[in-house]
Each structure stands twice: as structure tokens, then as C-alpha cells.
Amino acid sequence: MTEIESLQHKLVQQLNVIYKNVELAINSNELANVLINTMGIDERGCTPTPHSNHWSEQDVVVITYGDSIICANQKPLATLSEFMDNHLECINSVHILPFFPFSSDDGFAVIDYSSVNDGLGNWSDIKTISAKRRLMSDLVINHCSSRSVWFQNFIKGEGVGHDYFFTANIDADLSAVLRPRTSELLRPTKTSKGSQYVWCTFSHDQVDFDFTNPQVLIEFVRIIRQYLDAGVCIFRLDAVAFLWKIVGTKCINLPQTHEIIRLLRTLIEHARHDAVVITETNIPNTQNLTYFGNANEAHCIYNFSLPPLLINTLITGNCLYLKRWQMSMPPAQDGTTYFNFIASHDGVGLRPVEGILEENELDTLVKTMKLFGGKISSRTCENGKQKPYEINIALIDALQGTINGKDNLGLARFTCAHAIMLGLEGIPGIYIHSLLGTENDYEKLENTAHNRSINRHRWDYQKLSALLADDRNIHSKVLAALTKLIRIRTNQKAFNPNATQFTLHLGLQLFGFWRQSRDRKQSIFCISNITDQPIELPLAELNLIATEIWFDLLDGGVIHDITAVYWLEPYQTIWLSNVA
């Protein structure tokens, strides 16, 4: 059997699972051939090696909008490229949030998947960036803009896209549907075929696709091929948990959704062996873990529980819940890893800590974030009641104090959060506004009336450059502190995303874990004081090997007595390594 025949056989099996209960106008063999041809795979393609890790300790991702930094008389993507070259040379990967023409949701209501937003630049700018750094792009696969040509054709009842969208009967029982919004699920739309009710998981400007139509799948494979040709090698599947809908179910995490992700991974890694698929599934932790499959689905999953748990730890001075969660997390098998982050363009999701944080802890977290200027977004529960879904706040503001109020330890607390995240198993992603210490943007919040705008500031490049050149201000201090951490992290084999990790038991005021390189030559003990008081660390509790010399990678010191008591200042982190 040739490689193409083997690939076709696998795709047919996957398609039979996806469309088991769907009557198709095309059989699975024909559809598999169309997908292979659309992806441009032939006998010269690559057969992926199972359980391959396409990442290392050197991988760090900066998350940014294409226009997070702007400069007069220059396209924002060119400005972004220049800024990264000048200030983020230690970061080898970039996630540019949707850079396509859009109508709402800051890019996530895509009008045209095949074009770059003219206000940002063009495909040449994208290729310039992807030539220097690994590029992550969003595949906004659940929905598109109601202003797209496809949806306009749906209204007309003819042309490409006229049958791309999911509709339901207005009288259908949709009470079981789970979604993160409070708006009406169905959008009444006048079409050439009469009034139809279009499914809208997120907003009425974001109309959901109908993947029971294989033409939608073919269309997205064509889009993926275009992105690969532009240098994209990491695909973030946005809101993918909601992809497949069956009336009468929760319409989330359905088996067909999982199988579509497996099929897309199959095609993508046959087209480019080192390409990576990341699923963005902001759902309870145990459900999120299922998107690894058996190392045959997502290469990476977002570690959505980490942001709320880490913030909770640092404002309470108690690592109980973070520690419990970390101990329960399975090591990612080869071919998979976690994508760690503690801030993003969205808020701090609370669904991922359902069943982890107790209600009183959640209430305290929400109350404290409100005290620090944050906003709270809600969702409608099955009982019809409103429940906090997401905290919207800049991370630098979220960590400006504790549950007792604001203090002067914000920078130390903020740095500690990133030191913990950078040491953990997985690939770290750092939001550009965390790297820059950007505070809550109340002006943008007022202008848009959308809570998420509070953490989507747009910097003027000249003003930002002046601030970063002055080491007395918070923005310069933050970038210097995080750059130092990143430079150290990327040189430690024990910080390989799949290196061994064990949680240390040092009480509830010290959070610690041990990493060991895959060749077992390097060990690093990562320990953080997560309180606002000095804490003593008896080194004897770490069982440091006496025949090794131990170095603190962060301050350059050497441990001469492995039985001594080591004092950690408030929010201080140490990375004790047997390799300098």
C-alpha cells in the first residue's frame, strides 16, 4: 500500500465516523480524495512519525493582535515585526490573533478567511514574520461573520456558502445547549426560502457553520492549505468544542467534533510534518483533557485552569488548590503537550476551575478582581440563572495586591506568576500586554462597552519605545524581568515541555515542583514564595544530591550547604539546578 493509499484509508475511516448518521451526496472514498487533493498532498508528501514532539525548551510564544502596537505611516504588521526584532529577540514564536477582515469581536467574526485585513498589512507581511518566527494563526472554524459573502449567499439561497450554515426549528427544545453567552441562540433571518433560524453560539454577528455538509470541511481544508503556504505552522482551532450540533444534546464536545479534529491533524501533519494543532476549549478541566485523544487529536491543549488558579494562589497566599490541580494533571505523552498561559486577549475563564475551586474561593476571587478594577462577564446556566463566566482584567492589575487590598509588591507578585508558568511542563505563551505591563484600558472599555476591551490596549510605538528606554517605569521593569526569565528558561533542557515534572510538598505557602531533563542529566527545583511575607525553606526537605553542585539560575548564586535554611523574600522564586 502506497503512502497516499494508506492516508486515504485512514481518512475514509475518520469520515465514516463523522458522517455515520448523515446522508451524503458524495461517498467517503471520493471525499477523502478531494481532501487529499485540496491539501496538495501527493507521494512526495511526508508520513508523520507517531508521538513526535515538535517543540523544545526554546519555544516561547508571544500572543498579540496584529495592531497591538501601531506607528504612523507604517502598516501594523510591519510595526509588530520591527518591535519583535528590537525587543523580543528571545522569543521564537508568535500567535497573531485573527488578522483577517472582520465585522466584530476584535477579529473573531471573520468576513474573508483568504485575505489579510488591509488595515494590518498583507500576506507578504505575514510571510516576513513567519520567516523569522514560528507563526500561530487562528482557524476560526465554528462560525464566521454575518457580513461574509457566504452568509449573504445563504440569504440569497445560491452561490458558495448558501448551504454552509446551521439552522434549527424555532420550536425545537434547545434547553440542554451549553454556551458561554446570554444572547438568544437562534437568529431569525429572512432568506429567499423564507424565515430561517440560524444557530449563533456566540453572537448574532457570528453565524455557526454546518459541518454535516462536507463542503464546509473541504472549504476549511482549502483555507488550511493557504495558511501553510503563508508559513503558518501552528493552528489554533478557535471555539472548536462547539463545532458539531445535534438538537436535543448539549452541543458541546460531541464525538464528531473530536473526530474532525483528528482528521484535520491527519491532513495537516501529512502536508507539513512539524505543524502543530492546538485546541482552544475553554471548558472544565476534565473535558479539556479529552482533546489530547490518544496523541492523535490536538498536539497541544490550552491549560485553561492555570490562570484562575495561579491568580487565586498569589492573592490568597495559599497554594492548596493549585497544588491539588497540578498533582491531578496527567503527564502529557509524547506527541502532545500543554500550552500554558496566564493572560490572553480574552479574560480569565472560570469554567475551567469548576470542581477545582470551591464556591467561596471563586466568590473571593471575583470580589478581589472587582476591587482591582476588573469586570465580570456572565453566562446563563441550565437553570436560567446568571453565573460568572470570565474575569476581564489586565494581569498587572489583577496582581497588584492580595485579598486584603492593594500593596507595593505588585511587580514581585507579577514576576513570580511568570516564573512559575515558565517552569511548568508545557509550552509557555505570554500575552504582549503582560510583557509590557499594560494596565487596564478603561478608555477603550468605555468606547466599546465590551468587557474584554479592558485588556486589549493599542500602544503607540514611539511612546512605547520611550517608556521602554527608561528603566524607571513599570513597563520597562516588567519587560526586563520577563526577558531575563525567558532567556534563562530557554537554555535549560529540564524545561523541555515534555520533561519530567513532580510536585513538591513544602506546605501551602511555598509552591514547588521538580523538573528533570529527558536525558536525566539536569534537575531543576522550582520553588516560589507565594505570600507577602518572608518564608524559610529548609533545603534538607528537597533531598538535594550531596555530590552535585547546586546553582540558583535566577540570581547566579551557589548553594554551599544543602542542609541550610534558605530564606525566600515575598514572591521570590528560585530555580535550583545541578547544571549552571
Side-chain angles (χ1 to χ4, degrees):
M1 184 180 292
T2 66
E3 289 185 15
I4 289 294
E5 290 172 338
S6 177
L7 171 59
Q8 183 187 31
H9 178 71
K10 183 175 182 179
L11 291 174
V12 167
Q13 291 179 314
Q14 293 173 322
L15 290 167
N16 286 338
V17 172
I18 296 167
Y19 296 109
K20 180 180 179 181
N21 298 313
V22 179
E23 187 175 337
L24 299 179
I26 181 173
N27 66 48
S28 296
N29 281 293
E30 293 172 328
L31 181 53
N33 280 330
V34 171
L35 295 175
I36 290 171
N37 291 332
T38 302
M39 187 61 88
I41 301 170
D42 56 27
E43 289 295 351
R44 294 169 296 176
C46 51
T47 299
T49 303
H51 302 284
S52 295
N53 297 332
H54 308 307
W55 43 78
S56 75
E57 62 278 0
Q58 296 178 1
D59 289 308
V60 177
V61 181
V62 57
I63 305 164
T64 180
Y65 279 103
D67 60 354
S68 289
I69 304 172
I70 57 175
C71 182
N73 302 316
Q74 186 177 45
K75 289 290 188 179
L77 286 173
T79 303
L80 174 63
S81 182
E82 181 180 329
F83 175 80
M84 290 191 295
D85 289 346
N86 291 338
H87 296 281
L88 304 181
E89 67 276 8
C90 61
I91 295 179
N92 71 349
S93 306
V94 57
H95 172 201
I96 305 178
L97 291 153
F99 46 79
F100 320 103
F102 70 98
S103 56
S104 63
D105 199 16
D106 279 358
F108 287 92
V110 179
I111 293 175
D112 179 9
Y113 289 81
S114 64
S115 301
V116 174
N117 184 344
D118 184 61
L120 297 177
N122 54 41
W123 283 113
S124 177
D125 296 308
I126 292 295
K127 290 177 181 178
T128 296
I129 291 172
S130 67
K132 299 177 183 178
R133 289 173 172 80
R134 300 189 73 190
L135 176 60
M136 183 194 303
S137 172
D138 290 275
L139 192 67
V140 186
I141 195 169
N142 179 71
H143 52 262
C144 72
S145 168
S146 64
R147 288 174 49 193
S148 66
V149 171
W150 294 341
F151 194 68
Q152 297 310 305
N153 287 343
F154 168 80
I155 293 173
K156 291 188 295 184
E158 61 183 18
V160 176
H162 79 275
D163 53 355
Y164 280 12
F165 299 96
F166 195 87
T167 60
N169 191 309
I170 188 63
D171 298 320
D173 182 4
L174 304 176
S175 59
V177 175
L178 290 180
R179 53 195 285 263
R181 295 293 186 272
T182 58
S183 58
E184 290 295 325
L185 175 61
L186 299 182
R187 163 192 163 137
T189 305
K190 292 181 179 180
T191 75
S192 63
K193 299 177 181 179
S195 292
Q196 297 196 57
Y197 294 88
V198 181
W199 196 284
C200 298
T201 299
F202 294 94
S203 78
H204 282 195
D205 186 42
Q206 293 165 293
V207 285
D208 283 31
F209 292 113
D210 181 3
F211 271 85
T212 64
N213 177 2
Q215 291 302 319
V216 177
L217 178 61
I218 294 169
E219 190 69 60
F220 271 95
V221 171
R222 181 194 63 76
I223 293 166
I224 290 169
R225 179 67 263 177
Q226 181 182 5
Y227 293 1
L228 283 168
D229 291 340
V232 173
C233 64
I234 307 173
F235 292 86
R236 177 186 183 268
L237 305 189
D238 176 66
V240 72
F242 303 96
L243 195 66
W244 196 273
K245 290 91 173 166
I246 298 177
V247 173
T249 72
K250 294 181 178 180
C251 296
I252 187 172
N253 306 325
L254 294 183
Q256 294 89 339
T257 292
H258 285 280
E259 198 63 42
I260 287 174
I261 297 169
R262 295 185 190 112
L263 180 142
L264 292 178
R265 170 169 172 164
T266 298
L267 287 166
I268 288 170
E269 62 187 5
H270 274 82
R272 176 170 173 169
H273 79 279
D274 63 343
V276 171
V277 173
I278 300 183
T279 49
E280 188 265 336
T281 47
N282 192 356
I283 52 180
N285 189 56
T286 53
Q287 297 174 28
N288 192 29
L289 288 167
T290 66
Y291 283 86
F292 275 144
N294 184 24
N296 62 348
E297 200 165 327
H299 293 91
C300 306
I301 61 173
Y302 272 73
N303 225 342
F304 276 109
S305 298
L306 181 59
L309 286 174
L310 188 48
I311 292 172
N312 174 74
T313 293
L314 291 167
I315 66 169
T316 62
N318 185 324
C319 67
L320 173 64
Y321 298 98
L322 178 63
K323 184 176 174 181
R324 279 181 181 172
W325 166 77
Q326 180 167 281
M327 291 172 63
S328 72
M329 292 293 281
Q333 61 176 304
D334 281 342
T336 67
T337 194
Y338 295 103
F339 187 75
N340 295 323
F341 72 107
I342 46 178
S344 74
H345 62 291
D346 289 339
V348 179
L350 297 178
R351 285 213 72 203
V353 288
E354 290 178 6
I356 300 176
L357 279 184
E358 296 176 10
E359 286 300 319
N360 65 312
E361 290 286 328
L362 275 172
D363 291 343
T364 299
L365 176 60
V366 168
K367 185 184 300 183
T368 305
M369 293 302 99
K370 285 183 177 179
L371 179 67
F372 295 161
K375 302 297 179 181
I376 309 300
S377 299
S378 299
R379 68 181 178 91
T380 303
C381 299
E382 295 177 54
N383 60 9
K385 293 184 178 180
Q386 300 290 298
K387 186 175 183 179
Y389 166 75
E390 182 179 85
I391 299 167
N392 304 108
I393 192 170
L395 187 62
I396 193 77
D397 285 310
L399 297 175
Q400 64 184 290
T402 69
I403 57 175
N404 297 317
K406 300 178 183 179
D407 58 29
N408 61 355
L409 294 170
L411 178 58
R413 193 178 291 110
F414 183 84
T415 305
C416 177
H418 286 89
I420 291 172
M421 189 265 285
L422 284 165
L424 288 171
E425 172 189 3
I427 300 169
I430 306 180
Y431 190 35
I432 195 165
H433 290 306
S434 293
L435 283 166
L436 300 175
T438 310
E439 296 105 336
N440 291 334
D441 189 335
Y442 295 111
E443 182 179 351
K444 189 169 187 178
L445 174 64
E446 183 178 355
N447 289 337
T448 66
H450 293 300
N451 285 350
R452 286 179 170 176
S453 295
I454 199 171
N455 196 22
R456 297 179 179 179
H457 182 70
R458 188 174 290 145
W459 278 104
D460 175 80
Y461 191 20
Q462 301 303 321
K463 178 180 178 181
L464 177 61
S465 296
L467 288 170
L468 295 180
D470 180 0
D471 59 12
R472 295 170 297 177
N473 68 75
I474 187 64
H475 309 291
S476 178
K477 290 177 180 178
V478 164
L479 183 59
L482 298 195
T483 297
K484 175 185 175 182
L485 288 173
I486 292 166
R487 290 188 187 283
I488 295 171
R489 177 222 151 75
T490 53
N491 284 303
Q492 314 308 319
K493 291 188 178 299
F495 285 150
N496 181 286
N498 291 88
T500 300
Q501 176 175 290
F502 284 117
T503 304
L504 302 175
H505 299 283
L506 303 169
L508 299 180
Q509 297 179 313
L510 294 174
F511 179 68
F513 50 92
W514 173 73
R515 303 295 308 279
Q516 184 183 57
S517 60
R518 292 167 68 82
D519 62 9
R520 300 187 179 183
K521 293 181 179 179
Q522 183 183 29
S523 290
I524 301 179
F525 290 85
C526 307
I527 303 160
S528 298
N529 174 1
I530 47 87
T531 78
D532 57 4
Q533 300 296 319
I535 300 290
E536 65 176 33
L537 168 65
L539 293 177
E541 292 188 14
L542 301 181
N543 296 319
L544 300 176
I545 297 174
T547 55
E548 303 272 12
I549 299 175
W550 293 90
F551 308 87
D552 182 355
L553 297 174
L554 296 184
D555 72 4
V558 180
I559 303 298
H560 296 285
D561 182 0
I562 63 171
T563 65
V565 172
Y566 197 105
W567 279 91
L568 293 181
E569 294 301 315
Y571 306 109
Q572 181 184 352
T573 295
I574 57 173
W575 287 347
L576 295 183
S577 171
N578 62 335
V579 178

